[in-house]
Amino acid sequence: MPLRPGLRARSLGAWVLAAGLAISGQVGALAVSGDAGQSAVSGRAVPAANDEAADRPAPDAQLVLAPSEPVIEVGADEVQFSVLLRNTGDADLPAGTVSLELGSRPVTDDDEWSAQSEEPRGAGADPLPGTALPVATAELGATAAGEEQALTVTVARRDLPLDLGAVAGAYVVRATVTFGSDADAGADAAADAAADASRPGDLVTTSPLVWKGAGMQSVPASVIVPFVLPSDIHTLPTRPQLEELAPRWDRLLTAARKAEATLAIDPRVVIGIRAYGEEAPAAAREVLERLETTTLPSFLLQFADADPSAQAALGFTTLLGPTSVDFITRFGSWPADGGTSTGGSNVGADQDSEADAGERAADSATHASGGGTDQSAETDDSSEPTETPGDAPANAPDLEELSAWPAESAPTAWPAGGRADAATIDLLDTANIDRLVLSSDGVTLAGGPRAKLGEDRATVTDAALSDASRVALSAASETERASGLADLAARLVVDAQSESRGVVIGLDRGAVADSADPAALLDELADFAWAEPTAIDDQRAGKATLQPSGTSEQRLELLRAASNREGSVAEVGAVLVHPEYLGGYQRTRLLELFATRYAEDEARFADVAASFRARDAELLGGVQALSTEHIQLVGSSTRVPVQVRNALPFDALVTVEVQPASAALAISERTFPQLLVPAEANEAVMVPVHTRVSSGESGLVIGVTAADGVHTVFTGTLPITIRSGVETVAFWVLGGLAVALLGFGIVRSVHRRRRLRAAGRLAH
């Protein structure tokens, strides 16, 4: 296709500039800063990749390149590039040289950029768009196995091969790392050749660089902003956690307003604040009020952002939902008639610490974030003297009231990864949900992102833009974060210049939840003049067709097993003061296990499911008597302590029954009713035991039942060794010693009196 006159002129200018640089042999003075400090580097031209380098395999390493700022300001004095080399292999990487090149023309479409933005490659990488113009070279030190190093290359603006006349758009910068050999200087030619043959192949990666935005063009850009809980909260948040999260949510909501975003809200956020009533932190209540009254469109996700696709694949006929949150509302208070506050019977929430598998703290309904010491605060400060500690207030809202949301919010589902199949659609239809959020890599889309999907309506997010935003939110390093942001900026430029019908960016739910400041990404997005903030309902309409998709069998099997255990765990709640607490608690845990954040990473989900299973095992243990190695009875009568352990996160009320294992023991009190065992704590009962033999082996058969006497939750034997003969021997020994001491005292007193009398007679 012939080039436009302006484009031909600019391309010619770029060729002339490249020729001038080649003649001069240098780019200019550059400053490089890295882990090793400051050093000077030359600006020599980058040598072309040769066949020998292409034949050597690239090492096990990650190479990341990113401009420190995604867009070059026209008046900037310098441009900085960050280079990160991460050695993921078992062998050290030798020192080498990193070379930067710039394509002479901008990327023209998504396909061209996708071809350039692949993972790091070897020396045979695809050519840059246009001509490869040299930018800089820098020395890179050796990298030990398992380590990483970063450096910053600073290029003076006058030395960057982009002039004011260059076409606006997204250019591609390529970094090539060429490793040196480990041969010693002066070694013989054979050693040099062997060392050169063993050195790693080149590493190549690319990054976009936006110059002057998209010119006069722009693209309608919509954003879906999720409000979800961090991954370390596995049921509902504590009040301290709400207090910590509220400022972050407040900033995110403010940024979302500027972006004219659509809000996708986890009901746990809403319920988690409302469930405390007037006891909720003021900042959290203010955020909730802003969410309720905002003019931004919003919809509720499934509770805990559970994945409807996984539920459909498991054959569920209805969507899972919470059964009760009374285990949280017991800590709340609500104004009664007359304006007085009632029902706040507890001043603190149960707190649970991190177990070995890492799940225990996260599973507790009101665990303290970050772990710590097991604590359970159940102090009754209620003004109602008849109220039992731990009771939910009588005027607490029910679950329907706690989860209510404005009627104008249309029921919408957002499956994991934005992928759904016919079974998912059928399950959602039974729940009267006819709106979906899908991903462009899960549908075939024609037209705008607001598409018809049969009788349903779908919002189709751009998969590449969503991935770029996820990297920018959750990257482990600043270089990777800058890389994601540059990718996001460049793709929007390409969309604008290719006259896209509009795009929707679905921010990654897990990344937003765990990001320290997700609002910062929206602020950056607001600076992209070529991305025009647009409400989803104002986007153009199109038509979508589902592509084949499905949930992995490994994930389904783990979810199926966890679902099957739910009933068994709930049955254990019969021993609790409030049996309904455990059922609601377990369902909340299960829904969080279905969360979409785990769908894309099977290894991570396997670890989470293993921790979930370990916590289930603890809960299934319920209340039981602790077994000791051995107890010895050395007297004919004593009181034997029996320790009862409550592994549940709520108070238990049980009856302990004790029977002798043989006729060698007699027990005068066998039943201990209404024993209150605090959450995740021990309680002891003292059993009066009488021995009928002087020695032997016996035991106590201990049964633990629910207070109703119906459900037996534990039966076991506490072994006892009888040594009552030891008591008899000890009695005779002590008696003999007492008689001997008494006799010795009498004799000593008689002798003393005789001496005194004799001394008196002599004195007279």
Side-chain angles (χ1 to χ4, degrees):
M1 182 177 66
L3 296 174
R4 296 191 302 270
L7 184 58
R8 286 199 300 268
R10 293 184 182 99
S11 298
L12 180 60
W15 278 98
V16 172
L17 178 60
L21 290 172
I23 294 172
S24 63
Q26 63 180 20
V27 174
L30 305 175
V32 178
S33 61
D35 295 340
Q38 300 282 341
S39 63
V41 296
S42 67
R44 63 184 181 276
V46 179
N50 53 48
D51 294 338
E52 181 183 352
D55 291 339
R56 290 193 297 268
D60 292 329
Q62 295 176 344
L63 180 63
V64 183
L65 169 69
S68 297
E69 297 293 337
V71 183
I72 302 177
E73 297 293 339
V74 175
D77 295 329
E78 60 185 24
V79 179
Q80 292 185 332
F81 296 92
S82 298
V83 180
L84 173 69
L85 177 62
R86 182 177 291 130
N87 186 352
T88 58
D90 298 327
D92 295 350
L93 291 176
T97 301
V98 57
S99 305
L100 302 183
E101 301 170 283
L102 177 72
S104 62
R105 67 165 176 83
V107 175
T108 56
D109 55 45
D110 285 336
D111 291 340
E112 186 175 27
W113 171 238
S114 296
Q116 290 290 332
S117 60
E118 297 172 358
E119 292 296 319
R121 298 148 291 171
D126 293 338
L128 292 174
T131 303
L133 305 177
V135 173
T137 62
E139 299 303 319
L140 195 65
T143 311
E147 300 295 329
E148 64 181 41
Q149 63 170 312
L151 61 82
T152 300
V153 181
T154 303
V155 182
R157 176 63 190 86
R158 62 179 179 275
D159 296 322
L160 190 71
L162 282 174
D163 59 22
L164 292 177
V167 178
Y171 290 77
V172 180
V173 182
R174 181 169 62 195
T176 303
V177 174
T178 303
F179 296 99
S181 67
D182 294 328
D184 295 333
D188 58 52
D192 286 344
D196 186 67
S198 64
R199 68 186 178 93
D202 293 351
L203 270 180
V204 179
T205 193
T206 58
S207 173
L209 185 66
V210 175
W211 170 245
K212 295 196 301 186
M216 300 300 293
Q217 297 168 296
S218 63
V219 57
S222 304
V223 185
I224 301 177
V225 177
F227 279 76
V228 289
L229 296 177
S231 59
D232 60 351
I233 299 178
H234 287 235
T235 53
L236 288 168
T238 63
R239 280 168 288 187
Q241 288 168 337
L242 286 175
E243 199 159 3
E244 179 183 351
L245 290 168
R248 186 191 312 175
W249 287 337
D250 189 66
R251 292 194 300 272
L252 183 59
L253 181 54
T254 299
R257 287 177 60 88
K258 295 178 181 177
E260 298 184 27
T262 295
L263 310 181
I265 304 169
D266 181 352
R268 289 193 302 167
V269 174
V270 178
I271 296 173
I273 298 173
R274 290 176 178 169
Y276 292 108
E278 294 184 336
E279 300 298 320
R285 283 184 278 138
E286 290 171 2
V287 169
L288 180 58
E289 184 178 0
R290 288 190 66 193
L291 286 172
E292 292 171 330
T293 58
T294 182
T295 57
L296 294 176
S298 66
F299 63 89
L300 292 181
L301 299 162
Q302 191 177 350
F303 188 93
D305 189 27
D307 181 15
S309 292
Q311 296 164 64
L314 288 173
F316 290 6
T317 56
T318 58
L319 290 172
L320 286 175
T323 58
S324 169
V325 292
D326 287 352
F327 63 95
I328 293 297
T329 56
R330 60 186 171 139
F331 301 119
S333 66
W334 290 265
D337 292 339
T340 59
S341 178
T342 65
S345 63
N346 296 282
V347 297
D350 292 344
Q351 297 181 346
D352 206 7
S353 66
E354 195 82 18
D356 292 340
E359 173 79 1
R360 188 171 177 180
D363 285 338
S364 176
T366 52
H367 73 89
S369 179
T373 305
D374 288 352
Q375 299 178 4
S376 181
E378 301 216 353
T379 305
D380 188 356
D381 64 354
S382 173
S383 59
E384 298 289 340
T386 60
E387 184 176 350
T388 302
D391 285 351
N395 64 340
D398 60 24
L399 185 58
E400 184 177 356
E401 292 173 304
L402 291 173
S403 58
W405 200 243
E408 59 269 19
S409 174
T412 305
W414 190 356
R419 296 179 180 86
D421 56 15
T424 306
I425 302 297
D426 291 341
L427 179 60
L428 294 174
D429 286 342
T430 62
N432 296 319
I433 298 175
D434 60 358
R435 296 191 179 207
L436 296 92
V437 177
L438 300 176
S439 176
S440 61
D441 58 2
V443 299
T444 300
L445 180 66
R450 187 169 52 87
K452 291 285 290 183
L453 188 68
E455 297 298 321
D456 298 322
R457 286 176 285 181
T459 297
V460 182
T461 64
D462 188 290
L465 291 173
S466 299
D467 286 345
S469 65
R470 175 183 52 78
V471 173
L473 284 166
S474 62
S477 68
E478 183 60 29
T479 301
E480 290 165 301
R481 190 202 71 83
S483 174
L485 188 59
D487 190 12
L488 181 63
R491 289 185 182 276
L492 286 169
V493 166
V494 173
D495 284 330
Q497 293 183 328
S498 60
E499 299 181 353
S500 168
R501 291 180 174 269
V503 295
V504 178
I505 305 170
L507 299 186
D508 186 88
R509 286 162 275 182
V512 169
D514 293 330
S515 173
D517 187 13
L521 177 63
L522 293 179
D523 292 338
E524 296 274 7
L525 188 60
D527 291 337
F528 300 157
W530 54 93
E532 180 183 350
T534 305
I536 289 178
D537 286 345
D538 294 333
Q539 290 279 8
R540 295 182 183 180
K543 186 175 181 179
T545 305
L546 290 178
Q547 293 182 359
S549 65
T551 306
S552 73
E553 286 300 324
Q554 178 185 2
R555 180 169 176 247
L556 288 179
E557 192 58 40
L558 293 173
L559 289 172
R560 182 180 292 110
S563 300
N564 291 339
R565 290 193 302 269
E566 183 188 13
S568 300
V569 172
E571 288 178 359
V572 178
V575 301
L576 297 177
V577 176
H578 298 280
E580 69 277 10
Y581 286 177
L582 187 60
Y585 169 74
Q586 183 66 10
R587 172 57 64 88
T588 304
R589 294 181 62 239
L590 180 63
L591 281 162
E592 202 278 336
L593 188 67
F594 273 85
T596 62
R597 74 183 73 198
Y598 304 126
E600 303 296 325
D601 190 340
E602 288 194 6
R604 182 189 179 195
F605 180 70
D607 292 340
V608 171
S611 298
F612 187 93
R613 184 171 57 250
R615 178 59 171 163
D616 277 356
E618 292 179 353
L619 297 175
L620 289 169
V623 179
Q624 53 185 286
L626 296 178
S627 177
T628 57
E629 293 184 1
H630 219 69
I631 293 179
Q632 289 195 14
L633 298 183
V634 295
S636 59
S637 297
T638 188
R639 298 178 72 85
V640 176
V642 175
Q643 293 283 341
V644 180
R645 170 67 177 170
N646 178 12
L648 302 174
F650 311 105
D651 291 354
L653 191 65
V654 298
T655 295
V656 179
E657 295 184 353
V658 184
Q659 301 288 341
S662 68
L665 298 176
I667 302 175
S668 59
E669 185 180 359
R670 299 189 177 191
T671 303
F672 303 85
Q674 302 296 306
L675 178 66
L676 182 65
V677 188
E680 300 189 335
N682 297 343
E683 192 69 26
V685 294
M686 304 302 293
V687 182
V689 178
H690 177 74
T691 61
R692 293 173 173 171
V693 296
S694 60
S695 63
E697 299 291 334
S698 186
L700 300 178
V701 179
I702 303 170
V704 180
T705 62
D708 59 12
V710 176
H711 297 86
T712 299
V713 295
F714 175 80
T715 301
T717 300
L718 183 66
I720 294 178
T721 299
I722 303 171
R723 294 289 184 265
S724 62
V726 174
E727 182 185 45
T728 303
V729 173
F731 175 78
W732 284 107
V733 170
L734 291 175
L737 289 174
V739 170
L741 289 173
L742 180 61
F744 177 76
I746 293 172
V747 171
R748 183 180 178 188
S749 297
V750 169
H751 282 293
R752 183 181 180 189
R753 289 174 181 173
R754 287 178 179 175
R755 286 196 301 272
L756 290 175
R757 289 172 184 171
R761 286 197 296 271
L762 290 175
H764 289 293

